[in-house]
């Protein structure tokens, strides 16, 4: 958590000296690695509780992303990274679990920048994370982060395919009341103490009227209710709108659990996602 906090400070100091949208922008070739080690049981249990996962069994599908996030931040706040980290918006995540990972297994995590893509609202960077046990690739993810700036091509779109919009009309399954301190509680277990999640005052500095929920909490909470985690081949989730805390939200999903969404007041869509199951395409 200390290294993540240091990265946030470094990112705040370096962001004013970086300019998104440069035609000669290049990503650093670095691959940062967290050495193989079993997962600490205390932080894992706290994460499982706040996200709604079972506190026993394999790692929650989203947990390797949390473990690797300090590496991601270190890379994105480095001098060679072309985009300012302040204002970066997490737009989507894809997760591929190649097999279930047990907490006692020595999991090695590697993070690298996978590409820059023009977007209608700026430039999007794809960050990749890979998890290995004994050299075997057991888990991987790709995440998109958007740096907003003026662009001459307003019709430009992300390279990665979008979740179908039909997902936003899924039937309601559950109502969740999210407390005002959710961002602080999740930040304590994930290490992600971005000011936009912690207090209304710090969130206002970045243009939000109140603190907002972590996007990775919203997708984790939805996946905790999707069911049959061992049968999941891949997941894609897209973050459509921030959740202002406190909030009342609706979790919606189809009968198979292969499409899900999180909606807020007046049907505002915060997140949509799809799940591909093993044996299905």
């Amino acid at each position: 958590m200390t290294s993540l906090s240091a990265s946030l400070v470094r990112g705040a100091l370096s962001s004013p000296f970086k300019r998104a949208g440069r035609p000669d922008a290049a990503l650093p070739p670095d691959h940062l690695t967290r050495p193989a080690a079993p997962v600490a049981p205390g932080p894992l249990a706290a994460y499982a509780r706040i996200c709604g996962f079972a506190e026993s069994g394999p790692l929650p599908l989203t947990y390797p992303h949390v473990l690797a996030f300090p590496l991601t931040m270190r890379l994105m706040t480095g001098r060679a990274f072309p985009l300012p980290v302040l204002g970066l918006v997490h737009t989507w995540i894809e997760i591929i679990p190649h097999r279930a990972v047990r907490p006692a297994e020595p999991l090695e995590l590697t993070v690298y920048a996978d590409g820059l893509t023009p977007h209608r609202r700026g430039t999007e960077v794809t960050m990749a994370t890979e998890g290995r046990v004994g050299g075997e690739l057991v888990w991987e993810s790709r995440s998109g982060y958007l740096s907003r700036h003026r662009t001459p091509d307003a019709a430009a779109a992300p390279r990665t395919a979008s979740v179908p919009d039909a997902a936003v009309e899924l039937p309601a399954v559950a109502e969740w009341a999210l407390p005002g301190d959710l961002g602080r509680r999740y930040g304590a277990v994930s290490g992600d103490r971005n000011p936009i999640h912690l207090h209304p005052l710090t969130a206002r500095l970045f243009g939000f009227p109140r603190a907002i929920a972590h996007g990775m909490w919203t997708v984790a909470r939805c996946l905790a209710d999707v069911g049959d985690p061992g049968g999941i081949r891949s997941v894609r989730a897209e973050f459509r709108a921030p959740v202002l805390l406190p909030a009342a939200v609706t979790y919606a999903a189809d009968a198979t659990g292969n499409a899900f969404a999180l909606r807020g007041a007046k049907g505002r869509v915060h997140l949509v996602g799809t799940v591909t199951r093993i044996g299905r395409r």
Side-chain angles (χ1 to χ4, degrees):
M1 292 184 186
T2 301
S3 62
L4 183 51
S5 298
S7 292
L8 287 170
V9 172
R10 185 168 61 247
L13 295 176
S14 64
S15 287
F17 301 98
K18 297 184 179 183
R19 182 171 61 86
R22 291 174 47 189
D24 60 342
L27 290 170
D30 312 60
H31 285 56
L32 303 184
T33 298
R34 173 186 180 270
V39 173
L44 173 59
Y47 177 84
R49 283 193 297 271
I50 198 168
C51 295
F53 291 108
E55 293 186 38
S56 61
L59 293 184
L61 200 60
T62 49
Y63 198 56
H65 175 94
V66 172
L67 294 175
F69 192 64
L71 296 178
T72 302
M73 284 298 298
R74 193 190 312 169
L75 192 59
M76 292 198 299
T77 56
R79 183 175 299 177
F81 193 78
L83 303 178
V85 72
L86 285 184
L88 275 185
V89 179
H90 195 182
T91 49
W92 56 268
I93 184 168
E94 293 179 342
I95 299 173
I96 301 175
H98 294 281
R99 69 165 176 82
V101 181
R102 310 295 301 186
E105 292 187 281
L107 180 65
E108 178 188 87
L109 293 163
T110 300
V111 169
Y112 58 95
D114 196 35
L116 287 172
T117 307
H119 188 281
R120 67 185 182 277
R121 294 181 178 175
T123 300
E124 190 173 71
V125 61
T126 299
M127 301 298 295
T129 304
E130 297 176 350
R132 289 179 168 82
V133 173
E136 174 195 4
L137 182 65
V138 296
W139 185 98
E140 60 181 314
S141 74
R142 299 288 185 275
S143 282
Y145 296 89
L146 174 64
S147 179
R148 295 177 177 173
H149 60 82
R150 288 181 177 273
T151 173
D153 184 6
R159 137 179 86 85
T160 311
S162 176
V163 169
D165 282 338
V168 306
E169 300 176 354
L170 296 167
V173 175
E175 303 288 333
W176 299 332
L178 311 186
D181 66 347
L182 177 61
R184 295 191 292 277
R185 292 169 54 205
Y186 181 81
V189 302
S190 68
D192 184 356
R193 293 184 173 88
N194 188 317
I196 62 175
H197 303 302
L198 303 182
H199 295 278
L201 181 60
T202 54
R204 288 190 199 107
L205 297 175
F206 297 90
F208 297 99
R210 303 196 302 275
I212 66 173
H214 292 72
M216 283 306 300
W217 180 88
T218 63
V219 69
R221 185 64 188 88
C222 289
L223 289 174
D225 274 29
V226 160
D228 188 23
I232 292 177
R233 179 195 300 274
S234 66
V235 172
R236 179 178 171 90
E238 295 182 1
F239 306 106
R240 297 286 181 88
V243 179
L244 297 174
L245 299 171
V249 295
T250 299
Y251 167 68
D254 66 4
T256 64
N258 293 338
F260 58 91
L262 194 68
R263 298 193 291 262
K266 300 180 181 179
R268 189 183 193 195
V269 177
H270 297 296
L271 175 149
V272 294
T274 54
V275 173
T276 301
R277 305 280 178 176
I278 294 172
R280 303 178 192 175
R281 297 194 179 272

